[in-house]
Amino acid sequence: MIDISESVMQFLLAFIVVGPLIGAAAALLPAPPGLKGKSPDQAVLRHGVTVTGAILAAAVVLTLGFDHDQSSRMQATTDIAWIPALDVRIHLGVDGISLPLLVLTALLTFLCALYSYFRMPAGPSPRAFVALLLVLESGTLATFAVLDLLLFFLAFEMVLIPMYFLIARWGGEERQQAAWRFILYTLLGSVVMLLGLLLVGLKAGTFDMVALATDNGRDITTSVQVIAVLAIGIGLAVKTPMWPLHSWLPDAHTAAPTVGSVLLAGVLLKMGTYGFVRIALPITPDGMHVLAPYLAAFAAAGIIYGSLACLSLARTGAKGDLKRLIAYSSVGHMGFVLLGIATMTPTGVNGALFANIAHGLITGLLFFLVGAIKDRYGTADLDTLAGATGAALYGRAPRLGGLLAFAAVASLGLPGLAGFWGEMLALFGAFQPAEGLSRPAFLTFMAAGAFGTLLTAAYLLVVVRRVCMGTPPAAGHPPLDDVRAYEVVAWSPLAVLTVVAGLWPAVLLGLTDPAVQKLLAGGKS
């Protein structure tokens, strides 16, 4: 930690949230100021790398200045009246729960901008692409930084339009249908969520999330809390996505460009689970307590369903798309996050937050790798990759094959890598849920989750066998590029952090645990 004044910390957080919007506006100018390139397209792509790099640097400095000994306290706070008649305030702040998500978002967006500089997806002008990428980053960062319910809703919705256009304009086959399904599902869920947020704010007399968490639902009756959690939870569950509200996800991932899939899986899905932790647990604890067993049941069903769907896609003759398979795997992995939250215990919630970060790192890397395979082969169809074309990545592109195998074993939860700790802690939380929750029911959910880990290992190992192993094709096939220099730069941080988080989980858990303890205690230190 370095000594940084509170005013500088406030500026850094405000810059992190607003900076990408300023960058998006600048990207739409005839020539991004201060940047040169061989062409206008190259200049604007360089502009995207510069802005996202500046945001990442600010996030790193904010992390260095963050008081890790007081991670349960909101830091770098800004609280300004915005709409006095509704008591809506521009209230920003970070604690040990939101800070890792801010850094993850800034990192993945920078890596996507860097990757796009060298491998711009086919589509309209890069100018609009960069502007949409920056608006998406701003909305995601704001979701993790705002502390007002209505501002949270606005930031939550802000990401929909840029992601819709990234899929619809730069996506692959059936992109229009996938984009419409994405936005319709999420908009309908958000309408219901808004009603729940308004119900909480009007009943409690404030929309301030810190004040509401400190009050811990004492001014809201249990029946109102149940209704509010149900309404808010539907909107959050769609974004997570929770089974059976997940059907928009596979199509969106399959159609999206590589960087769209990375951001969708790496950060956008985290907005839903973050809302459960930041809003449902501390603000409506009684309602959450009533509905937690149902949330856990849906989470366990999602773990099994996602794993079985992936296993079906992975097997020979299933005509599975590798991007679709990774998308379905997210349904299972996010099921562990929801299960941890539903336990309402420090162990389970810490596991959920750890699994959030791990999923962002590992699945982001997986989508980068699948995109690279599709670029080289012209398809992500598993039957084609394992058939006459003869993927045999170990023989034709050993570094690419090795990275795919590494990401696969990280995703299946190999001890020593990031994917292990979150899922294990979520299962431990289910073994001994919060007081008042049915332990036999949660033991059943824990058993389902444990079985899901076996299914996860099965389908990922099948994928590695079919794509990476085998006999390379005979002479006459065009050469296959191994990992390129810009890919090494874009992917290495994700691989390194996957190892670091797996070997030293205390670094992340030391940040989240004090904040989780305070959150579950009703805002009291």
Side-chain angles (χ1 to χ4, degrees), residues 258-270:
T258 296
V259 294
S261 293
V262 171
L263 292 175
L264 183 57
V267 294
L268 262 68
L269 303 189
K270 313 303 175 285

Side-chain angles (χ1 to χ4, degrees), residues 59-81:
V60 171
V61 175
L62 181 71
T63 302
L64 294 175
F66 187 83
D67 187 351
H68 292 242
D69 294 330
Q70 299 289 328
S71 64
S72 63
R73 178 176 62 87
M74 285 294 173
Q75 302 181 37
T77 55
T78 299
D79 192 1
I80 304 171

Side-chain angles (χ1 to χ4, degrees), residues 305-502:
Y305 171 83
S307 300
L308 288 175
C310 290
L311 193 58
S312 174
L313 289 170
R315 64 184 175 84
T316 304
K319 296 183 179 179
D321 184 279
L322 194 51
K323 287 188 74 176
R324 182 175 289 270
L325 184 147
I326 303 302
Y328 271 111
S329 77
S330 292
V331 177
H333 288 304
M334 299 310 289
F336 282 101
V337 177
L338 291 173
L339 179 60
I341 293 170
T343 67
M344 300 185 69
T345 63
T347 300
V349 176
N350 275 304
L353 294 172
F354 197 102
N356 254 346
I357 301 299
H359 180 265
L361 296 172
I362 297 168
T363 308
L365 178 58
L366 277 170
F367 275 116
F368 270 134
L369 293 168
V370 173
I373 291 172
K374 189 172 183 178
D375 287 341
R376 287 156 172 78
Y377 285 102
T379 181
D381 180 75
L382 272 168
D383 283 346
T384 303
L385 290 174
T389 305
L393 280 178
Y394 288 156
R396 301 186 68 192
R399 295 180 183 83
L400 186 58
L403 273 173
L404 181 62
F406 166 80
V409 297
S411 185
L412 64 82
L414 184 73
L417 298 176
F420 172 73
W421 295 105
E423 295 182 1
M424 184 195 71
L425 290 173
L427 294 177
F428 278 1
F431 181 76
Q432 191 66 57
E435 185 179 353
L437 296 177
S438 171
R439 191 170 184 231
F442 274 83
L443 287 175
T444 303
F445 304 144
M446 183 193 73
F451 181 60
T453 61
L454 298 178
L455 294 175
T456 301
Y459 72 73
L460 285 171
L461 292 176
V462 169
V463 167
V464 171
R465 177 181 62 81
R466 296 190 67 195
V467 176
C468 296
M469 300 180 182
T471 304
H477 284 268
L480 188 66
D481 287 344
D482 209 336
V483 179
R484 298 157 183 154
Y486 70 89
E487 293 172 334
V488 172
V489 175
W491 303 345
S492 293
L494 302 180
V496 170
L497 289 173
T498 297
V499 175
V500 170

Side-chain angles (χ1 to χ4, degrees), residues 147-409:
L147 298 172
D148 182 276
L149 288 180
L150 293 186
L151 280 184
F152 175 86
F153 175 78
L154 292 177
F156 197 84
E157 296 303 287
M158 183 177 168
V159 303
L160 300 185
I161 299 302
M163 182 52 72
Y164 166 82
F165 281 109
L166 286 175
I167 297 172
R169 303 300 298 276
W170 286 271
E173 297 178 3
E174 300 183 357
R175 57 183 182 269
Q176 293 290 346
Q177 180 181 352
W180 274 111
R181 178 173 289 188
F182 161 76
I183 201 165
L184 286 176
Y185 263 79
T186 50
L187 277 178
L188 289 174
S190 297
V191 169
V192 181
M193 183 179 75
L194 177 60
L195 296 177
L197 295 175
L198 290 174
L199 178 62
V200 169
L202 294 175
K203 286 292 183 180
T206 181
F207 291 99
D208 186 270
M209 292 161 67
V210 175
L212 288 166
T214 303
D215 186 68
N216 203 218
R218 283 183 287 271
D219 291 337
I220 309 174
T221 64
T222 299
S223 59
V224 172
Q225 288 191 38
V226 171
I227 296 171
V229 170
L230 188 60
I232 295 169
I234 288 174
L236 298 175
V238 170
K239 188 68 71 74
T240 298
M242 180 184 77
W243 179 90
L245 303 175
H246 69 284
S247 60
W248 61 269
L249 183 70
D251 289 340
H253 270 308
T254 304
T258 296
V259 294
S261 293
V262 171
L263 292 175
L264 183 57
V267 294
L268 262 68
L269 303 189
K270 313 303 175 285
M271 295 165 64
T273 51
Y274 173 79
F276 276 108
V277 174
R278 181 65 75 196
I279 298 173
L281 281 177
I283 296 176
T284 54
D286 295 337
M288 186 67 184
H289 194 277
V290 171
L291 295 175
Y294 302 98
L295 178 62
F298 282 119
I303 293 170
I304 300 298
Y305 171 83
S307 300
L308 288 175
C310 290
L311 193 58
S312 174
L313 289 170
R315 64 184 175 84
T316 304
K319 296 183 179 179
D321 184 279
L322 194 51
K323 287 188 74 176
R324 182 175 289 270
L325 184 147
I326 303 302
Y328 271 111
S329 77
S330 292
V331 177
H333 288 304
M334 299 310 289
F336 282 101
V337 177
L338 291 173
L339 179 60
I341 293 170
T343 67
M344 300 185 69
T345 63
T347 300
V349 176
N350 275 304
L353 294 172
F354 197 102
N356 254 346
I357 301 299
H359 180 265
L361 296 172
I362 297 168
T363 308
L365 178 58
L366 277 170
F367 275 116
F368 270 134
L369 293 168
V370 173
I373 291 172
K374 189 172 183 178
D375 287 341
R376 287 156 172 78
Y377 285 102
T379 181
D381 180 75
L382 272 168
D383 283 346
T384 303
L385 290 174
T389 305
L393 280 178
Y394 288 156
R396 301 186 68 192
R399 295 180 183 83
L400 186 58
L403 273 173
L404 181 62
F406 166 80
V409 297

